[in-house]
């Protein structure tokens, strides 16, 4: 076995020197030496991303990367076919397209808890999303009971009550705008009224206008070191939204929760989330108490072919 400082193990007795690993390595740290693939130690200009491309491409199974946990693709709520799916084979586009077009944000949930095994499997699928420089610096905080979701909702409501009180203050928001801080004025124009209405409905009608009655929530954050933490989190969220649909679950991203947690860091502290982490996405989920009859259209996007 050949151990390099980049934690890529290449077994020379298995390596056939075919070069498949060299072709796919994004960091170009692999080369052939004495008829065996060899991984160069990290330098400032070329660093192993531990992306696993070399391991995935090797026809002789000569490469292992111990940091890649094979359990990440062992699921407890379904059996995965572990064979790699080549582009254009096995999964008809129309089936995936039906899933993509059928997923809708869910805002009515049955009061049934979501099994922890399903939440765990969703997170395993989330981390198969791409991440900038393969940082994989995701953190996932699961609230798996309605009472936990409600408690978070209360903290967020308290934040918005404070914010609305400030935004209602004409002098405060206009004087802030005069010195270039226009956020409060912008919030007042665009969100104040709908947030005020939602909070009144929460209080007077006991309606959960924030999490829509969801019995579970996954907060997706980043730990320090991620190069593109927000993008990574939303890509991971995308996997969760689609996979949840196949598991019979409805989902809804809750941007209001993310905004509140960004402004009031004490909210995440209450959940035991370290200060060094930042929350980028909140996915409410549960068994849907709503059905749809058809796939609808989308607005026309701006598309350019040059
Ligand atoms: C970043 C982001 C934040 C969102 N925040 C909320 C939210 O706070 N509350 C809510 O009910 N829906 C929220 N949504 C859901 C959108 O309203 C929804 O995706 C959009 O209306 C399209 O509908 P669809 O998801 O059913 O396709 C959010 C979506 C995104 C992408």
């Amino acid at each position: 076995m050949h151990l390099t400082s980049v934690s890529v193990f290449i077994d020379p007795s298995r390596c056939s020197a075919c070069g498949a690993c060299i072709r796919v390595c994004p960091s170009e740290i692999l080369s052939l030496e004495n008829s065996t693939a060899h991984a160069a130690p990290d330098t400032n200009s070329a660093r192993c991303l531990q992306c696993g491309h070399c391991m995935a491409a090797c026809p002789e199974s000569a490469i292992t990367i111990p940091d890649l946990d094979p359990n990440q693709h062992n699921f407890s709520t379904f059996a995965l076919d572990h064979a790699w799916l080549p582009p254009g084979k096995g999964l008809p586009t129309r089936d995936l397209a039906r899933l993509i077009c059928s997923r809708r944000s869910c805002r009515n949930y049955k009061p049934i808890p979501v099994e922890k095994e399903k939440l765990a499997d969703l997170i395993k699928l989330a981390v198969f999303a791409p991440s900038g420089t393969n940082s994989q610096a995701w953190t996932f905080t699961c609230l798996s009971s309605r009472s936990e979701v409600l408690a978070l909702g209360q903290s967020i409501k308290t934040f918005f009550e404070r914010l609305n009180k400030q935004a209602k203050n004409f002098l405060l928001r206009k004087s802030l705008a005069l010195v270039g801080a226009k956020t409060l004025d912008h919030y007042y124009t665009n969100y104040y009224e709908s947030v005020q209405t939602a909070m009144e409905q929460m209080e007077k009608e006991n309606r959960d206008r924030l999490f829509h009655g969801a019995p579970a929530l996954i907060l997706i954050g980043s730990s320090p070191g991620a190069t593109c933490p927000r993008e990574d989190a939303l890509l991971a969220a995308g996997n969760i939204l689609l996979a949840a649909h196949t598991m019979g679950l409805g989902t809804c991203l809750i941007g209001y929760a993310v905004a509140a947690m960004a402004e009031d860091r004490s909210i995440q502290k209450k959940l035991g989330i370290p200060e060094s982490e930042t929350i980028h996405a909140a996915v409410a989920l549960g068994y849907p108490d709503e059905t749809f009859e058809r796939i609808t259209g989308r607005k026309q996007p701006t598309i350019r072919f040059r």
Side-chain angles (χ1 to χ4, degrees), residues 103-107 209-210 212 234 241 251-257 298:
R103 180 217 55 84
R104 308 198 70 89
S105 291
C106 178
R107 299 187 182 84
R209 287 293 316 277
L210 181 63
H212 312 295
L234 289 169
L241 303 191
T251 55
C252 190
L253 282 163
I254 308 295
Y256 280 104
R298 283 295 207 204

Side-chain angles (χ1 to χ4, degrees), residues 280-292:
H280 305 287
V283 182
L285 65 177
Y287 288 96
D289 195 10
E290 60 186 23
T291 52
F292 296 101

Side-chain angles (χ1 to χ4, degrees), residues 135-152:
S135 309
Q136 296 189 38
W138 289 291
T139 68
F140 298 90
T141 304
C142 289
L143 310 190
S144 53
S145 71
R146 178 71 187 140
S147 58
E148 288 173 291
V149 177
L150 275 173
L152 174 61

Side-chain angles (χ1 to χ4, degrees), residues 274-296:
E275 219 173 308
S276 56
E277 293 180 20
T278 306
I279 301 300
H280 305 287
V283 182
L285 65 177
Y287 288 96
D289 195 10
E290 60 186 23
T291 52
F292 296 101
E293 302 291 335
R294 61 192 59 81
I295 291 169
T296 58

Side-chain angles (χ1 to χ4, degrees), residues 98-280:
R98 189 170 175 211
L99 170 64
I100 291 172
C101 298
S102 297
R103 180 217 55 84
R104 308 198 70 89
S105 291
C106 178
R107 299 187 182 84
N108 293 285
Y109 296 93
K110 290 183 178 151
I112 303 171
V114 178
E115 301 87 336
K116 283 196 178 156
E117 296 75 22
K118 279 196 178 173
L119 295 173
D121 278 355
L122 286 172
I123 292 167
K124 284 183 171 182
L125 287 165
V127 301
F128 275 86
S131 61
T133 56
N134 197 31
S135 309
Q136 296 189 38
W138 289 291
T139 68
F140 298 90
T141 304
C142 289
L143 310 190
S144 53
S145 71
R146 178 71 187 140
S147 58
E148 288 173 291
V149 177
L150 275 173
L152 174 61
Q154 192 50 51
S155 303
I156 289 166
K157 183 166 167 275
T158 305
F159 165 80
F160 278 108
E161 277 164 356
R162 243 185 355 250
L163 183 61
N164 268 21
K165 206 168 163 191
Q166 288 177 357
K168 207 178 163 190
N169 185 330
F170 176 84
L171 274 180
L172 177 65
R173 57 173 204 272
K174 288 300 171 194
S175 45
L176 281 171
L178 270 178
V179 295
K182 294 183 180 161
T183 320
L184 197 62
D185 203 36
H186 179 263
Y187 171 83
Y188 183 77
T189 312
N190 294 287
Y191 299 102
Y192 170 85
E193 220 167 285
S194 57
V195 169
Q196 195 62 30
T197 307
M199 287 193 299
E200 281 166 20
Q201 287 171 331
M202 283 167 99
E203 258 164 44
K204 293 182 188 147
E205 300 164 33
N206 202 20
R207 279 178 63 196
D208 178 2
R209 287 293 316 277
L210 181 63
F211 294 124
H212 312 295
L217 188 77
I218 301 177
L219 296 167
I220 309 176
S222 60
S223 43
T227 47
C228 310
R230 203 159 183 210
E231 292 85 344
D232 298 350
L234 289 169
L235 286 162
N239 282 8
I240 290 178
L241 303 191
L242 291 178
H245 189 98
T246 68
M247 293 180 182
L249 295 166
T251 55
C252 190
L253 282 163
I254 308 295
Y256 280 104
V258 176
M261 292 177 86
E263 291 297 321
D264 180 352
R265 307 283 291 178
S266 76
I267 302 176
Q268 75 177 53
K269 202 172 169 191
K270 268 194 216 159
L271 292 170
I273 302 172
E275 219 173 308
S276 56
E277 293 180 20
T278 306
I279 301 300
H280 305 287

